[in-house]
Amino acid sequence: MLDNVVDFVTNPIVVLVLLPIISLLFITSLFTKGLGIGGILGSILLVLFFAAHSIEGYSSPGLIFLFLIGVLFIFLELIIPGLIIGTIGFASISASILYTGADFMLTAYALAIALVVAILGMVILMKLFGKKMSVFNRMVLTDSTDTEKGYVSNVNRTELLQREAKTVTPLRPSGVVMLDGERLDVVSEGSFIDVDCLVVIIKVEGSRVVVREKKE
């Protein structure tokens, strides 16, 4: 039974179909949270590919090590973008698979087809189905900067003019005031203003809010 499986997986014609399927499975995993079903199935088929070729004597520990180094570099590329590490990782993976195959030329064709299938699959998922790569969502800052979280927009907020606020830090001349539960970075006209003092907003210029102490 095992011999039949090994003979089937190492058949160059089967490899010509197997590698594109693996690439497509991994592409689908990029659009799901975590590894996903596609990533799990792709990993199983990839392990089966190397295991079968190792049993038949086509692969070697060095090629498997080269493949693992390539995978590590791909993960590093996701953490430290720059294309150089990712390119080295992709080249290492491709070389390990290429020299593992029983037939060099058919394996090369299989890799080329796998690359085309991966690109087409990515384009179809993004353009036709509107999918977004979840792996990039983990790399991009998505926290919103709204007033509920204490952030203030840099637009010219003229509605603040003549409003009263209370200082929560000393103004030396810059500091923070509280206006209806919203923290505002402000500057005084130039004089020092202590904590818990009432101030009036007299000027708004973009992100610069100028206040004056309200006299009793």
Side-chain angles (χ1 to χ4, degrees):
M1 178 64 178
L2 178 61
D3 291 339
N4 293 333
V5 173
V6 170
D7 290 341
F8 178 78
V9 175
T10 56
N11 188 307
I13 302 300
V14 173
V15 171
L16 199 62
V17 177
L18 182 63
L19 292 185
I21 291 176
I22 292 174
S23 71
L24 187 58
L25 289 171
F26 278 118
I27 286 299
T28 60
S29 71
L30 295 178
F31 295 86
T32 58
K33 292 183 179 180
L35 190 59
I37 296 177
I40 294 173
L41 291 176
S43 299
I44 292 174
L45 291 178
L46 205 51
V47 169
L48 182 61
F49 170 82
F50 275 101
H53 283 79
S54 295
I55 292 173
E56 285 293 298
Y58 297 117
S59 186
S60 66
L63 289 175
I64 295 175
F65 179 75
L66 182 63
F67 173 80
L68 294 177
I69 288 294
V71 172
L72 175 62
F73 277 28
I74 293 295
F75 277 111
L76 288 177
E77 175 67 28
L78 298 177
I79 301 172
I80 314 173
L83 292 180
I84 296 178
I85 296 178
T87 301
I88 296 174
F90 179 77
S92 299
I93 292 173
S94 299
S96 64
I97 293 175
L98 183 62
Y99 287 97
T100 293
D103 187 297
F104 184 87
M105 288 305 301
L106 282 179
T107 306
Y109 288 140
L111 280 174
I113 295 172
L115 180 60
V116 172
V117 167
I119 294 173
L120 288 177
M122 192 179 301
V123 171
I124 290 173
L125 287 172
M126 294 177 68
K127 297 298 183 180
L128 295 184
F129 295 97
K131 298 287 187 178
K132 293 183 179 180
M133 289 189 180
S134 62
V135 66
F136 290 141
N137 292 337
R138 296 190 291 269
M139 300 166 56
V140 178
L141 180 64
T142 57
D143 291 341
S144 60
T145 54
D146 51 28
T147 56
E148 293 179 356
K149 295 183 179 179
Y151 295 95
V152 181
S153 175
N154 285 337
V155 297
N156 199 11
R157 301 181 62 186
T158 55
E159 76 277 4
L160 298 177
L161 289 171
Q162 302 307 314
R163 298 285 301 278
E164 293 184 5
K166 179 175 285 190
T167 58
V168 294
T169 66
L171 306 188
R172 308 174 185 270
S174 63
V176 179
V177 301
M178 187 69 71
L179 175 63
D180 295 336
E182 179 182 348
R183 293 170 65 91
L184 294 173
D185 293 319
V186 301
V187 295
S188 71
E189 282 185 299
S191 59
F192 170 81
I193 302 177
D194 207 347
V195 181
D196 292 330
C197 291
L198 288 177
V199 295
V200 179
I201 299 173
I202 61 173
K203 187 184 297 184
V204 179
E205 298 174 339
S207 61
R208 185 171 182 267
V209 179
V210 183
V211 300
R212 174 187 298 159
E213 185 175 5
K214 183 181 180 181
K215 302 299 182 181
E216 297 297 337

